[in-house]
Amino acid sequence: MPSPGSSDASPPSIAVIGAGVAGCTVAALLARHRWPGSIVLWETGRGPGGRAATRRSREDQQLRLDHGAPLLNLMSGHRATAGLASTASAMPPAPPLIEELVQGGWLEPWSGARARLDVEGALHPISNDPLGEGLLYRGRDGMEHLCQGLLSLAGSAVSTRYGTLVRDLRPLPGEGWQLLDAQGRVLDQVDWLILSSTLLAHVRVQLVLAWDSVPLVEASRLLGDPRLDHALASIAALRFEGRSNLLLLVPADQARPWLELPFRLLDLDPPAQQRFHLRRISIQPLADGRCAVVVHSSATFAAEHLGVYGARSSIARVLSLPSPQEREQEVIEKLSAALEDALGAWPIAPLPPEADRQLMRWAAAFPVGAGLPEGLLLCPDSRIGFCGDYVSGPGFGRIEGAMASAHRLVEQLLPAALDRPAMVG
Ligand SMILES: Cc1cc2nc3c(=O)[nH]c(=O)nc-3n(C[C@H](O)[C@H](O)[C@H](O)COP(=O)(O)OP(=O)(O)OC[C@H]3O[C@@H](n4cnc5c(N)ncnc54)[C@H](O)[C@@H]3O)c2cc1C
């Protein structure tokens, strides 16, 4: 018998756009619930991770640099952590799968020193930054292991297509979707579509990438689905904070002062962000004695330099966008000076040479606003679902929220697409 989600007797196929935390969580859960058709994950980047990816280099095998999220913080409970049971019992349950990722060696608790810098440049041992509250975890050997762990839980049921930007969407009313590349060629045709990123649904593509329209908004005109229109209106109301991140690679013979800093993660409080133009500094020791340092700009600095992205970003590579060298260098110099200013009390000089300083711009690092309401995660008539850290609820704007939204979406999708109830976990 054809399933309710299938356009004919074949099992329903599904495409998930985005192999960040939310997309990988959806893939893992669909595989776990034995989604009967194909599951394909489409991703612009060279591998999984999205904003929780780890930068690596073919030429430099030892390099690992968490250039987006350095950590995962869980404000919901976590049964796996011995000794914290009393704290955990007061919290709502953690997203399932976390425990499995810890047990499988993909995630590990993080207990590095955290501190806060105030506007006078003074250090405080306690940071109450919302990105550091609750239980802290890090991908073992790099944050990308969070998504790799999720994909390993998904197993062979999920196929991945890296290095591919889905540029456009064509609805097939009542039947599903076609995914198109930048040349208008059909990449895939599926019964169900999941968007784990707002890129194809939000006006920022017109502002940041100069696209002439927003693909899903155009597609929605052919569908006449009030629920999808409502979801798109909620997504349109989102705004995004950017980050211009300076990536430093400090050679082993100069790494000592960095490794001796009294913190591994330094948060700047709001007045300090205003003064130093920085938000956070993450010190990441490498196994071979070198030290990677990721300097996160303030949101204001990123907004002022939005047009300058790192030439090595996935989107620049896939769309062959030019990145004027001098402007990029100028931003690198400004961030280097800001870093020296903020860490003036410690002997970190000299900064590494030009070649070991790079820029990574996140145009949409954090969503701001009310978020997509949970009730609009799935639009069954249009056969489309949404997940990601832009979904409202606990963990909004964080990895925890990206995972939780994927669980909630799959809970709704399985009964709608397969006529099968879901106990997601
Ligand atoms: C600098 C920085 C620091 C952060 N610090 C923390 C922190 O300390 N703690 C924390 O919990 N969170 C932190 N975050 C936020 C965290 O990284 C995100 O909440 C989380 O990674 C979001 O996951 P996601 O799957 O929702 O989205 P994403 O990671 O953005 O994944 C979406 C994926 O979709 C891909 N994609 C989009 N459109 C297309 C398309 N059309 N075709 C193909 N692929 C596409 C993108 O390339 C991307 O990989 C930080 C983020 C940044 C940028």
Side-chain angles (χ1 to χ4, degrees):
M1 195 177 76
S3 73
S6 176
S7 48
D8 53 34
S10 57
S13 52
I14 191 161
V16 180
I17 299 186
V21 175
C24 292
T25 305
V26 163
L29 292 172
L30 290 176
R32 169 152 301 182
H33 287 275
R34 293 192 289 280
W35 178 266
S38 65
I39 308 168
V40 181
L41 202 47
W42 295 86
E43 170 57 50
T44 318
R46 289 200 179 99
R51 280 172 279 157
T54 301
R55 184 173 286 212
R56 290 179 182 269
S57 156
R58 282 193 200 100
E59 297 78 48
D60 182 351
Q61 297 286 321
Q62 300 287 321
L63 180 74
R64 280 154 187 65
L65 200 150
D66 292 331
H67 56 180
L71 291 174
L72 147 66
N73 66 316
L74 275 190
M75 273 140 93
S76 46
H78 192 282
R79 292 180 299 276
T81 311
L84 288 168
S86 56
T87 326
S89 62
M91 302 176 181
L97 299 185
I98 290 283
E99 232 165 275
E100 280 174 68
L101 291 169
V102 173
Q103 280 162 10
W106 298 99
L107 280 183
E108 59 189 8
W110 187 85
S111 55
R114 290 177 56 223
R116 173 173 63 87
L117 195 72
D118 72 17
V119 69
E120 308 298 339
L123 202 65
H124 301 264
I126 307 264
S127 167
N128 48 7
D129 192 288
L131 287 174
E133 278 179 25
L135 305 178
L136 304 181
Y137 291 90
R138 179 171 180 263
R140 180 164 287 171
D141 203 25
M143 280 303 283
E144 68 180 0
H145 277 183
L146 166 57
C147 284
Q148 281 177 352
L150 288 164
L151 291 181
S152 114
L153 295 179
S156 58
V158 175
S159 314
T160 49
R161 305 275 188 276
Y162 297 127
T164 312
L165 173 77
V166 177
R167 171 63 180 79
D168 211 352
L169 300 170
R170 185 179 294 154
L172 307 170
E175 291 183 19
W177 293 85
Q178 282 183 339
L179 281 56
L180 294 96
D181 69 9
Q183 285 71 42
R185 292 178 299 225
V186 176
L187 291 164
D188 201 2
Q189 179 165 327
V190 290
D191 297 299
W192 288 85
L193 177 64
I194 306 297
L195 284 196
S196 77
S197 158
T198 54
L199 186 74
L200 297 176
H202 189 270
V203 69
R204 71 188 160 91
V205 288
Q206 293 181 285
L207 305 173
V208 178
L209 295 177
W211 292 6
D212 52 10
S213 60
V214 182
L216 188 58
V217 172
E218 286 301 305
S220 70
R221 299 192 212 288
L222 299 171
L223 288 164
D225 176 355
R227 194 180 172 89
L228 176 58
D229 293 341
H230 193 171
L232 284 168
S234 296
I235 291 172
L238 286 169
R239 294 291 166 264
F240 295 90
E241 265 188 17
R243 291 285 182 274
S244 300
N245 284 3
L246 173 67
L247 317 179
L248 303 182
L249 189 56
V250 184
D253 60 353
Q254 290 171 25
R256 201 164 161 182
W258 293 91
L259 297 172
E260 287 178 350
L261 286 170
F263 51 80
R264 284 284 183 265
L265 193 63
L266 179 69
D267 297 312
L268 281 80
D269 67 22
Q273 290 169 37
Q274 186 71 17
R275 172 177 167 196
F276 297 112
H277 313 292
L278 302 181
R279 173 72 175 75
R280 222 175 184 195
I281 298 169
S282 160
I283 312 285
Q284 304 173 13
L286 301 186
D288 60 8
R290 289 179 296 170
C291 178
V293 180
V294 182
V295 184
H296 300 218
S297 80
S298 67
T300 311
F301 182 96
E304 286 166 358
H305 300 84
L306 191 61
V308 188
Y309 42 84
R312 298 188 187 201
S313 72
S314 296
I315 200 81
R317 184 173 41 79
V318 170
L319 293 175
S320 306
L321 298 172
S323 178
Q325 189 90 49
E326 322 78 66
R327 290 190 62 204
E328 193 169 331
Q329 201 50 44
E330 201 182 299
V331 175
I332 289 174
E333 293 306 336
K334 281 188 189 173
L335 288 170
S336 302
L339 175 68
E340 286 178 315
D341 193 16
L343 296 190
W346 293 276
I348 52 147
L351 291 186
E354 236 174 62
D356 288 331
R357 283 183 277 155
Q358 290 177 11
L359 177 67
M360 175 71 198
R361 183 211 66 178
W362 298 100
F366 295 95
V368 179
L372 179 69
E374 186 175 338
L376 296 172
L377 285 187
L378 186 69
C379 303
D381 292 346
S382 300
R383 295 182 176 211
I384 190 167
F386 300 95
C387 60
D389 69 343
Y390 61 94
V391 172
S392 69
F396 177 75
R398 294 185 293 111
I399 289 172
E400 183 175 17
M403 293 186 82
S405 73
H407 282 87
R408 286 177 280 155
L409 172 63
V410 172
E411 281 266 4
Q412 297 178 26
L413 176 66
L414 294 182
L418 306 178
D419 213 3
R420 192 205 280 173
M423 288 298 292
V424 175

